[in-house]
Amino acid sequence: MNITKRIGANIISQIGGKIPETFLSLMILPILVRYLSVEEFGLYAFAISYIAIFAPILDLGMAPVLTRELSKNKEFGRVLIGDAAILRVFLLLFCVLLIAVTSFSFNNKVKQSAVIITTTTFFTYPLLTINSVFYSELKTWYIVSVNILKKVLFLLGLIIISRLNFRTFGVLGTHVLSEIIPGLVLFFVGLSFIKPVYKFNIDKTKFLLKESIPLFIVIILSTLYTKIDIVMLSFLKSNTEVGFYSGALQFYNFLLFVPAVISSVVFPLLSKYYEDNKKTYNALVEGTLKIIFCIGFFIFVFSLLLSRPLILLILSEKYHNSIDVFKLLAIGIMFVYSNIIYGNIFISAGQQKRVLVIAALNLSVNILLNFILIPLYGAKGAALSTIITQFVGFLICNYVIRNITNFNLLKDIFLLKFDFLRFRSLKELLNENSN
């Protein structure tokens, strides 16, 4: 199978897998929001968002580096996977302790208990370093299948606990089990493709940390950027406002699978061609950015048209306030899609520090705007902060990429310069270089 067919197979499998995953999510969401009150749903969203802020500590930015190195040299990569798994064990202990200590500052036993329960999802993380092999081998349908399994388990668990009336803590316990069980399944499947070397190697570990630490800081900043809205809403407003924002965010997050699918396939290729073939690399950068921006534009239009009927149908009338929040978030879709791809481009070129600076600026802008807009407009203020920050990040990325390639997406957008016939030459370049 040539490289473009493999790319197509991976994209189709992920999109095809996303259909049942989305269908299951659309079955879960109405049960969840009807079973819990808006305030309880806000508590559930807060607990998941709070521990997500600490999740990057478990990886230290190693996952993209593992994928990149596996794409170049499988034998070297399997040693790095083993080293990363051992490091994650120590990071897990530190992370759990850190969450336990910080949660005592809440002065709210319910919030504290919710966070501690949710933290147990972290216990499979040392095993999941093996996930990078699925991306490097362009076998992402395994991850897609496991994501579907997570949804199935959560749906079944939700049906059971709704009959037992366990409320928020029952939902959180179900979430934990639906994460841990599929994680174990993925680990054992991954062993059939690669046998990690679980033997600590100080030199290789130093290399891994040197490459990953800038990414770790980027991921921390990016995670804070995506989760800080909910945390700040909880403290500056109320769990009810968190509920309205999280209701809109459920639909918004559904839409983020598109750049995730494309980046999971394109990133290994960018890593491969950056040093080997600059012509193919530049063509891949231009083609991917143009495609992702156009997809983002069309999804933005459809989101505005369908937001009201979808939210009222799936979430119910009590989430009426989520409609305007989602419309605001949808404005930033074109920019966040492009920004995700920009991040992959910078990492493939070994320019993690540039990503770090951009992420730090984005987070600073977002927090500043949240302090101003959330007290004034609540959930809508958090959404406004998000879209402004995404646009600022897009402008910065478009400027910085000129140090890697001469392509200027913003200029092509203004000039409506989208020559899709050039994608045929990109296909020929990819096939030529894969032979």
Side-chain angles (χ1 to χ4, degrees):
M1 184 183 290
N2 64 38
I3 189 67
T4 53
K5 288 183 178 179
R6 287 174 65 194
I7 293 171
N10 274 266
I11 291 175
I12 290 169
S13 68
Q14 290 193 64
I15 293 175
K18 199 66 182 181
I19 293 172
E21 188 182 340
T22 302
F23 177 74
L24 287 165
S25 296
L26 293 176
M27 292 177 66
I28 289 168
L29 194 54
I31 297 173
L32 191 59
V33 297
R34 285 166 174 79
Y35 176 60
L36 300 176
S37 67
V38 175
E39 184 177 2
E40 288 172 329
F41 183 64
L43 176 62
Y44 163 78
F46 169 80
I48 292 176
S49 297
Y50 187 79
I51 71 156
I53 291 173
F54 296 87
I57 296 174
L58 295 170
D59 183 62
L60 290 182
M62 293 183 285
V65 177
L66 292 174
T67 300
R68 187 184 71 192
E69 296 305 318
L70 279 164
S71 300
K72 295 178 180 178
N73 187 322
K74 192 171 182 178
E75 285 302 309
F76 182 59
R78 64 194 287 262
V79 175
L80 291 182
I81 286 177
D83 282 356
I86 294 170
L87 278 174
R88 275 192 177 189
V89 173
F90 294 101
L91 294 170
L92 170 64
L93 298 175
F94 172 73
C95 194
V96 170
L97 178 63
L98 187 60
I99 292 174
V101 170
T102 57
S103 66
F104 282 111
S105 66
F106 294 165
N107 293 321
N108 185 316
K109 293 292 184 183
V110 176
K111 272 187 179 181
Q112 182 182 334
S113 300
V115 165
I116 290 172
I117 290 171
T118 313
T119 303
T120 55
T121 56
F122 288 166
F123 284 95
T124 56
Y125 270 53
L127 300 176
L128 297 182
T129 53
I130 205 168
N131 286 7
S132 293
V133 72
F134 297 109
Y135 293 106
S136 65
E137 296 289 326
L138 294 180
K139 295 183 183 295
T140 51
W141 49 81
Y142 288 97
I143 292 176
V144 170
S145 300
V146 167
N147 287 338
I148 293 171
L149 177 60
K150 288 181 182 180
K151 298 292 184 182
V152 170
L153 291 176
F154 188 60
L155 176 60
L156 293 175
L158 194 58
I159 292 171
I160 293 170
I161 63 112
S162 64
R163 295 181 179 276
L164 299 175
N165 200 31
F166 286 156
R167 309 304 297 177
T168 310
F169 292 121
V171 173
L172 288 171
T174 302
H175 167 76
V176 168
L177 290 175
S178 67
E179 290 288 325
I180 289 177
I181 295 172
L184 293 173
V185 170
L186 196 58
F187 169 71
F188 288 109
V189 172
L191 290 177
S192 65
F193 291 101
I194 195 169
K195 302 294 183 184
V197 179
Y198 294 108
K199 183 178 180 181
F200 192 75
N201 184 302
I202 188 66
D203 291 331
K204 291 181 173 59
T205 301
K206 286 180 179 178
F207 166 79
L208 184 60
L209 290 175
K210 179 183 176 183
E211 292 294 310
S212 65
I213 289 298
L215 286 177
F216 162 64
I217 301 172
V218 169
I219 293 168
I220 280 281
L221 295 173
S222 299
T223 302
L224 282 170
Y225 166 68
T226 57
K227 302 299 180 183
I228 200 69
D229 293 346
I230 287 177
V231 175
M232 292 182 72
L233 268 172
S234 179
F235 288 110
L236 294 176
K237 280 293 186 177
S238 65
N239 281 338
T240 301
E241 285 294 311
V242 174
F244 291 135
Y245 187 76
S246 299
L249 209 59
Q250 295 295 315
F251 290 90
Y252 180 75
N253 287 338
F254 287 152
L255 304 178
L256 295 184
F257 85 93
V258 176
V261 168
I262 293 177
S263 64
S264 69
V265 175
V266 170
F267 177 63
L269 297 174
L270 289 169
S271 300
K272 177 182 178 181
Y273 292 123
Y274 177 69
E275 294 180 355
D276 292 348
N277 191 312
K278 278 297 181 67
K279 182 179 179 182
T280 303
Y281 179 85
N282 290 337
L284 189 59
V285 166
E286 179 179 347
T288 304
L289 283 171
K290 285 185 175 181
I291 289 171
I292 202 69
F293 187 87
C294 289
I295 292 173
F297 176 77
F298 286 112
I299 290 179
F300 155 66
V301 172
F302 281 108
S303 296
L304 291 183
L305 295 175
L306 299 176
S307 57
R308 183 181 182 84
L310 280 177
I311 288 176
L312 293 182
L313 174 66
I314 295 172
L315 297 184
S316 78
E317 183 65 35
K318 67 182 180 180
Y319 282 87
H320 184 272
N321 289 354
S322 297
I323 296 171
D324 288 339
V325 176
F326 176 69
K327 286 181 177 180
L328 288 171
L329 289 172
I331 295 172
I333 286 174
M334 295 170 287
F335 307 118
V336 73
Y337 276 23
S338 300
N339 291 344
I340 290 171
I341 302 299
Y342 274 127
N344 281 271
I345 294 168
F346 296 143
I347 295 169
S348 70
Q351 299 198 16
Q352 294 94 315
K353 291 182 180 179
R354 292 185 183 276
V355 185
L356 170 59
V357 173
I358 294 169
L361 288 171
N362 283 347
L363 178 61
S364 301
V365 171
N366 194 37
I367 291 175
L368 177 63
L369 290 173
N370 276 337
F371 273 120
I372 297 170
L373 297 175
I374 285 177
L376 294 174
Y377 305 111
K380 292 180 184 177
L384 279 169
S385 299
T386 298
I387 61 173
I388 293 170
T389 305
Q390 287 165 351
F391 181 65
V392 170
F394 174 79
L395 293 178
I396 295 171
C397 287
N398 189 76
Y399 175 79
V400 172
I401 200 174
R402 292 189 300 178
N403 294 294
I404 301 173
T405 173
N406 291 324
F407 176 62
N408 188 328
L409 178 60
L410 189 62
K411 180 180 178 181
D412 281 10
I413 292 169
F414 279 119
L415 297 177
L416 298 177
K417 191 177 176 183
F418 285 80
D419 182 7
F420 292 101
L421 292 176
R422 295 187 65 180
F423 296 146
R424 183 174 180 179
S425 62
L426 172 60
K427 176 182 176 181
E428 291 171 354
L429 279 172
L430 290 171
N431 286 331
E432 178 184 336
N433 284 284
S434 67
N435 294 328

